[in-house]
Amino acid sequence: MADEFRTTEVGERYAQALFDLADETGALAAVRADLKSLRAAWLESADLRRLSTSPVIASEDQQKGLVAIADKAKFHATTRNFLGLLGQNGRARDLPGVIAGFEVLYAKKTGVVAAEVVSAQTLTAAQLKSIQTTLRTSLGKDPELTTRVDPAILGGLKVKVGSKLFDASLKTKLDQMKFALKRA
C-alpha cells in the first residue's frame, strides 16, 4: 500500500496548489503535519481508502467525509478546505499522489532528506540510530526517517531515499537466486 504514495500528474498539480497556499499563509509546517497524519490514516483505515476511491460514493459525500475527518483530527483550516475541494472536485482518490507531491515540494524548499526504512520486524532504537548514522555519512545531511514493518520481505531492509531504493531484503535475494537458477 505504501507504493500508492507516488506522485501523479493530477497529484502534483493539486500538491503544488496546496503547497503554494500553505507557503503564502505561513502554514507549511502545519499542513505537512496534517498530511503526515492523513498518510498514516490512509495506511491504517480501509474505510478512508474506500471513501476516497469508491466510484459509487458521490463526490459530495466524499467531500463531507473528508471535511469531517479533518474536523475530527483538528487539521489546519488550509488542509481542511483543501480536502473539501479535493472531494468536491471528485479527486479524493488522488490523495496519495497529493501527499507524495507535497513531500517532494517540501523537501526541495527546506532541504530535508526523507528516508523510508522498511523492515520485516520492528527496529530497535539502536538499529534506527545505526541506520540514521550510516545515512548521514553517505548523504551528508541528517535524514528524516520513517519506518514501516512489512513481514513479506522476510528479513533485511529496504531503504528508500528520494527516488532511490536500496533493497537488501531477504525476499529480493531469494528471488534473485531463483532467477539465476532458472537461467542456469
Side-chain angles (χ1 to χ4, degrees), residues 3 9-10 42 72-73 75 79 81 95 108 114 128 131 142 173 175 177:
D3 293 333
E9 190 176 328
V10 172
W42 182 276
K72 182 84 171 159
F75 285 166
T79 309
N81 294 341
L95 189 56
K108 278 183 191 173
L128 282 173
I131 292 167
D142 251 347
K173 289 180 182 182
D175 288 344
M177 287 175 57

Side-chain angles (χ1 to χ4, degrees), residues 5 104 107 112-116 139 159-166:
F5 288 91
V104 169
V112 167
V113 177
E116 180 184 32
L139 299 172
V159 179
K160 184 177 179 185
V161 179
S163 62
K164 292 185 173 109
L165 175 67
F166 304 95

Side-chain angles (χ1 to χ4, degrees), residues 62-115:
Q62 288 178 334
Q63 176 188 15
K64 289 176 188 171
L66 291 174
V67 169
I69 289 168
D71 288 340
K72 182 84 171 159
K74 295 181 175 41
F75 285 166
H76 190 275
T78 303
T79 309
R80 180 193 179 282
N81 294 341
F82 176 79
L83 290 174
L85 178 70
L86 206 59
Q88 178 184 340
N89 291 349
R91 291 294 185 179
R93 69 182 169 280
D94 293 310
L95 189 56
V98 172
I99 293 170
F102 189 91
E103 278 301 315
V104 169
L105 293 168
Y106 185 84
K108 278 183 191 173
K109 179 167 176 87
T110 61
V112 167
V113 177

Side-chain angles (χ1 to χ4, degrees), residues 114-178:
E116 180 184 32
V117 179
V118 181
S119 60
Q121 298 176 341
T122 305
L123 298 172
T124 65
Q127 290 169 324
L128 282 173
K129 186 172 174 121
S130 173
I131 292 167
Q132 183 138 21
T133 303
T134 304
L135 286 173
R136 182 182 312 119
T137 303
S138 64
L139 299 172
K141 347 178 148 177
D142 251 347
E144 190 175 87
L145 289 181
T146 57
T147 59
R148 186 168 54 93
V149 175
D150 182 4
I153 69 169
L154 303 176
L157 293 174
K158 285 184 179 183
V159 179
K160 184 177 179 185
V161 179
S163 62
K164 292 185 173 109
L165 175 67
F166 304 95
D167 190 343
S169 67
L170 184 55
K171 181 181 182 338
T172 300
K173 289 180 182 182
L174 290 172
D175 288 344
Q176 289 171 343
M177 287 175 57
K178 185 168 116 178

